[in-house]
Amino acid sequence: MPIPERETPKGRRESYVLPKVPVPPLKQSLDMYLSSIKHLVKEEQYRKTKSIVEKFGEPGGTGELLQKKLVEKSDNTYNWVYDYWLEDMYLNQRLALPVNSNPAMVFPKQNFTDRKDSLRFAAHLITGVLEYKERIDTRTLPVDFSRGQLAGTPLCMKQYYRLFNTYRLPGLKRDTLVIHKTGSTEQEHIIVACKNQFFVLDLVVKEKKLKEMDILTQLEKIVKMAENTEERQPPIGLLTSDGRTEWAQARDVLIKDSVNRESLAVIEKCLCVVCLDDPSGMEVGDTSRALLMLHGGGHEKMGANRWYDKPMQFVVGEDGVCGTVCEHSPFEGIVLVACTEYLMKFMTGSPSKMGRATSVSELPTPGRLLWETTPHIQGLLKASAGRLQRLVRDLDMDVHKFQVYGKEFIKKQKMSPDAYIQVALQLAFYRCNGRLVSTYESASIRRFHEGRVDNIRSATPEALAFVKAMTDEKASLSDSEKIQRLWDAIKAQTNYTIAAITGMGIDNHLLGLREISRELQMEVPEIFTDETYVASNQFILSTSQVPTTVEMFCCYGPVVPNGYGCCYNPQSDHLLFSVTSFHGSTETCSAVFIRALDEGLVEMRDLCKKSNKPQSNAAALKTVEKSQGAGSKPLSTPRENREISHTEEALRCPY
Ligand code: COA
């Protein structure tokens, strides 16, 4: 039974109890599952799936048995879904991390006067990171509380404690998320990447912590050393950009040599990586900056100046292209935003301490990590470079600022901005493809102990009715019928959101039932081999709201070859969208999707404006309270659920 760490917090001001993630009632999830796919598959396929699902859920059937086992698991663990989810979502995935898995935060373009100016920025950033890390180590980060829907609940902070002390180790079949003890003395260095070389920047020298001035001095030395072509090492970082199995195989070859073993050990324990990038030569716009964050522009640009396994990788480009690239498995984008916003505010709000004296009179020269290669390893590097290049060529990205209105306009309509944007995304997809598809929207379940996310399946039947009203049935429906369908779609979306954030989503539940059947070494139940289930987990539209309060934005790639990745950042007066797809697919085109989105958002505004009788907020909320979710029966709330107890099972958030 995984026991969460129970560390004594220093300076903790908040103390509260977080409930466990509930196990939703079986029938509720099965009903929700059926109604989430009914309108997305052919009638005949639906009939087949329905009978499989009914058989699974019949009294005394496999579903009941698995549900019982899952409830037992929930009783005996702190979070029944955490490991299943982590493995399914990340560690079992074999695709390369850049584009396919690692999201990026793109900072505002910096205007550096010269290389030294960019190094000053990097030194200041590192100082901010160390300050933030200190807050993590001393457990003095303020506790987050939920906002938006069901606001005011304390949220689990565990993800923050995985920002700097984790590492995703590649495995032949499954990766491992290595977690170092927070504040460990092994972790007193960062890795600086420059010209595809990796240097060790020790943060403590002669038992003294480096000051910002010292860090700058060390960075200058690193840049100089990196320029020395005679000592140049092979671009080993490229291997981390490869498929996970390929990288694991290459790593097995690398570690045969003790020099490589040592270099890997140092990287795998670092706090974070700071990539000092040369100018990319690309025109610096939102889209090109986002591309450089996601894949570095390939091996000919900055693609090898990275170590993709490390969760926190800060990029500081001489041309002002800066941001963070993240290995996603230890934390969600929201935690990443909190950390990077802290850093941005630190950078702009606290003056650089360059004027102060150095802490150590003589700083040792930072060590360059050495690599022993063989023709075999050279061949592996070439293959990795080729595969990264294909990924670079394939990624179709468009970052777009919709400036006609922002979330304040939507709020004035008494609608949830997030639900509204999701409905707009459905409309855009329908416009482009004439159908709706299985859609993923991440819903935070941090209100539960060690909660990560579940899925809001946004392609609801009500969304389909609405998008049809705006397209195929446009001419035959009145404005009031259209606005009614918009309201229905928004309500269905809001209801699903509330279900998902209160632990009543279906994706985690079905995953748990599937995985527990594996643990019991049962034959995989038909419900999980059924083509509908398989298709319903191919998220052609993968979406996520990542809002920021300072100027920056998040982006990520599609999760299937014929899909879109759509990250959005709703602001008061505008909405920022970062849309990705693959050129290789004939079914997608990011620019076309953006155009359809723009068009739909304007039409939705016009429709709202025409409606002179918007449903009152109270009425809307009443409907939400009477929510039937996406299923046909009322959802249990977590408080009613037997898995949630605030007494003997209650858990103290361990920080
Ligand atoms: N009328 C007027 N205002 C409304 C409203 C209505 N009917 N419904 C919501 N609002 C307001 C909210 O009060 C909130 O106000 P605020 O900006 O002052 O806080 C704002 O609109 C936003 O609410 P909403 O649009 O409903 O979204 P949300 O903030 O509840 O977010 C999710 C919904 C699903 C995005 C959120 O719950 C979540 O899970 N976020 C995490 C996603 C994530 O993990 N992303 C990263 C993945 S790596």
Side-chain angles (χ1 to χ4, degrees):
M1 166 173 138
I3 312 270
E5 309 153 45
R6 284 171 189 263
E7 290 147 305
T8 315
K10 284 189 212 155
R12 182 177 64 195
R13 273 165 281 153
E14 293 283 347
S15 163
Y16 56 84
V17 169
L18 287 181
K20 286 185 183 187
V21 175
V23 180
L26 179 65
K27 180 160 174 15
Q28 175 180 294
S29 290
L30 296 182
D31 288 348
M32 267 175 90
Y33 170 54
L34 285 177
S35 57
S36 74
I37 48 97
K38 185 174 181 188
H39 54 294
L40 303 181
V41 298
K42 295 212 170 85
E43 219 178 299
E44 195 182 323
Q45 188 180 333
Y46 176 73
R47 269 204 302 275
K48 184 178 159 229
T49 299
K50 188 165 179 275
S51 93
I52 292 171
V53 170
E54 280 169 357
K55 184 158 177 268
F56 179 78
E58 71 193 6
T62 312
E64 274 194 3
L65 168 74
L66 297 178
Q67 175 80 356
K68 187 168 159 278
K69 294 287 175 194
L70 209 54
V71 170
E72 278 169 23
K73 186 174 175 99
S74 163
D75 289 342
N76 297 325
T77 55
Y78 288 91
N79 182 323
W80 59 269
V81 74
Y82 190 91
D83 289 336
Y84 292 151
W85 177 89
L86 187 67
E87 284 170 12
D88 187 68
M89 189 68 128
Y90 297 110
L91 305 181
N92 287 340
Q93 300 300 327
R94 304 289 81 205
L95 288 177
L97 295 185
V99 179
N100 300 306
S101 182
N102 286 13
M105 287 302 304
V106 184
F107 294 173
K109 155 97 173 58
Q110 304 297 312
N111 293 311
F112 299 133
T113 48
D114 52 20
R115 178 63 131 180
K116 175 136 189 187
D117 202 18
S118 73
L119 297 186
R120 267 191 222 108
F121 179 93
H124 201 34
L125 181 71
I126 293 168
T127 311
V129 168
L130 298 181
E131 207 179 278
Y132 196 75
K133 170 82 174 32
E134 177 86 12
R135 285 182 160 228
I136 293 175
D137 292 347
T138 54
R139 302 294 193 258
T140 49
L141 279 181
V143 170
D144 290 344
F145 283 80
S146 62
R147 300 198 52 192
Q149 303 296 336
L150 311 183
T153 312
L155 302 177
C156 181
M157 297 292 285
K158 198 89 188 246
Q159 291 179 39
Y160 286 92
Y161 303 106
R162 304 266 157 95
L163 276 164
F164 296 107
N165 64 339
T166 45
Y167 184 83
R168 178 159 164 182
L169 195 65
L172 294 174
K173 291 207 167 115
R174 171 184 300 170
D175 292 358
T176 308
L177 184 62
V178 179
I179 303 171
H180 300 287
K181 199 168 160 12
T182 355
S184 132
T185 46
E186 280 182 331
Q187 273 211 297
E188 286 176 342
H189 64 278
I190 61 176
I191 294 294
V192 179
C194 186
K195 295 193 187 297
N196 308 339
Q197 312 289 290
F198 296 95
F199 299 88
V200 187
L201 174 49
D202 285 317
L203 301 165
V204 179
V205 173
K206 295 182 190 156
E207 292 178 22
K208 283 192 178 156
K209 283 186 187 166
L210 260 56
K211 291 194 171 150
E212 197 168 318
M213 187 67 193
D214 304 320
I215 295 172
L216 176 63
T217 308
Q218 297 299 69
L219 292 178
E220 285 177 315
K221 286 186 205 163
I222 286 172
V223 169
K224 221 166 178 183
M225 287 164 78
E227 274 158 9
N228 180 345
T229 46
E230 275 170 28
E231 291 186 22
R232 204 158 273 182
Q233 297 291 303
I236 296 292
L238 270 178
L239 297 174
T240 70
S241 76
D242 212 333
R244 300 309 288 169
T245 304
E246 288 81 357
W247 168 211
Q249 285 163 342
R251 191 176 175 282
D252 282 349
V253 178
L254 273 183
I255 57 171
K256 288 193 177 129
D257 187 287
S258 64
V259 171
N260 298 334
R261 260 201 314 275
E262 275 170 38
S263 293
L264 284 170
V266 175
I267 293 197
E268 288 164 9
K269 284 187 189 132
C270 72
L271 277 183
C272 62
V273 178
V274 173
C275 311
L276 302 176
D277 278 7
D278 289 337
S280 70
M282 287 162 80
E283 202 183 308
V284 179
D286 284 351
T287 301
S288 61
R289 284 185 297 133
L291 285 170
L292 283 168
M293 285 309 129
L294 284 185
H295 55 46
H299 69 97
E300 285 163 355
K301 293 195 161 66
M302 296 303 124
N305 205 39
R306 304 278 184 272
W307 198 269
Y308 285 102
D309 296 355
K310 187 63 199 167
M312 289 299 268
Q313 204 168 198
F314 298 97
V315 175
V316 179
E318 200 181 331
D319 53 4
V321 177
C322 301
T324 317
V325 194
C326 293
E327 196 292 290
H328 209 336
S329 62
F331 47 81
E332 251 59 72
I334 302 302
V335 167
L336 170 65
V337 168
C339 172
T340 42
E341 286 199 346
Y342 176 93
L343 296 174
M344 285 289 102
K345 286 174 190 161
F346 173 86
M347 304 283 287
T348 49
S350 71
S352 162
K353 293 178 186 127
M354 290 303 171
R356 296 219 189 140
T358 57
S359 59
V360 189
S361 51
E362 265 193 38
L363 291 165
T365 306
R368 184 198 300 257
L369 293 185
L370 303 176
W371 306 104
E372 283 300 327
T373 55
T374 58
H376 182 196
I377 294 174
Q378 293 291 353
L380 294 173
L381 279 170
K382 211 167 155 208
S384 296
R387 282 189 282 266
L388 177 61
Q389 209 56 25
R390 279 201 286 281
L391 200 53
V392 169
R393 269 192 240 114
D394 205 13
L395 186 63
D396 173 7
M397 170 151 224
D398 207 329
V399 178
H400 175 66
K401 194 171 177 178
F402 174 78
Q403 305 205 64
V404 181
Y405 58 91
K407 70 173 174 172
E408 288 312 314
F409 167 79
I410 308 170
K411 282 195 206 172
K412 280 197 189 122
Q413 310 312 306
K414 312 270 186 257
M415 293 173 178
S416 146
D418 188 71
Y420 183 101
I421 294 167
Q422 283 293 328
V423 171
L425 291 170
Q426 293 298 316
L427 177 56
F429 191 90
Y430 191 84
R431 276 235 157 88
C432 297
N433 300 71
R435 63 184 177 127
L436 291 191
V437 286
S438 190
T439 303
Y440 185 99
E441 183 197 6
S442 34
S444 172
I445 50 169
R446 279 178 63 212
R447 62 191 66 228
F448 300 105
H449 180 77
E450 284 203 17
R452 295 292 301 261
V453 285
D454 203 335
N455 179 14
I456 305 166
R457 291 184 166 261
S458 308
T460 61
E462 293 82 355
L464 181 61
F466 171 68
V467 302
K468 283 190 171 163
M470 300 300 279
T471 52
D472 312 346
E473 300 165 19
K474 190 174 180 170
S476 60
L477 290 178
S478 67
D479 284 341
S480 64
E481 284 167 313
K482 286 178 194 155
I483 191 84
Q484 187 54 51
R485 288 200 192 178
L486 173 60
W487 267 111
D488 292 346
I490 300 268
K491 267 185 244 156
Q493 179 68 21
T494 309
N495 290 343
Y496 207 135
T497 300
I498 291 172
I501 64 176
T502 54
M504 292 290 128
I506 59 169
D507 285 57
N508 283 352
H509 190 194
L510 292 177
L511 171 73
L513 294 166
R514 188 188 79 195
E515 291 308 302
I516 209 140
S517 77
R518 285 214 175 115
E519 274 176 18
L520 294 169
Q521 296 182 339
M522 287 166 59
E523 196 183 328
V524 180
E526 201 181 358
I527 183 174
F528 304 119
T529 54
D530 177 32
E531 61 178 324
T532 302
Y533 180 77
V534 175
S536 77
N537 281 294
Q538 296 286 305
F539 296 108
I540 293 181
L541 198 48
S542 164
T543 72
S544 188
Q545 182 189 145
V546 184
T548 62
T549 61
V550 302
E551 192 199 332
M552 59 178 168
F553 64 92
C554 182
C555 57
Y556 56 81
V559 297
V560 291
N562 59 338
Y564 287 106
C566 181
C567 190
Y568 53 96
N569 183 351
Q571 295 292 319
S572 305
D573 61 349
H574 70 269
L575 309 169
L576 194 86
F577 293 95
S578 159
V579 173
T580 49
S581 58
F582 291 116
H583 290 297
S585 167
T586 51
E587 296 166 39
T588 56
C589 171
S590 298
V592 170
F593 187 84
I594 288 278
R595 267 203 303 281
L597 188 57
D598 254 8
E599 210 178 299
L601 283 166
V602 169
E603 287 175 7
M604 283 166 72
R605 179 206 56 182
D606 294 346
L607 190 60
C608 289
K609 282 190 165 174
K610 278 185 206 158
S611 143
N612 51 10
K613 275 194 248 158
Q615 192 166 349
S616 74
N617 199 13
L621 284 175
K622 213 168 157 197
T623 325
V624 167
E625 276 162 17
K626 284 163 78 188
S627 156
Q628 296 194 353
S632 56
K633 287 278 182 286
L635 298 170
S636 306
T637 65
R639 250 174 234 292
E640 290 160 355
N641 194 296
R642 61 171 293 282
E643 284 80 12
I644 293 297
S645 152
H646 289 264
T647 52
E648 84 272 18
E649 285 177 8
L651 298 161
R652 190 164 289 279
C653 201
Y655 49 84

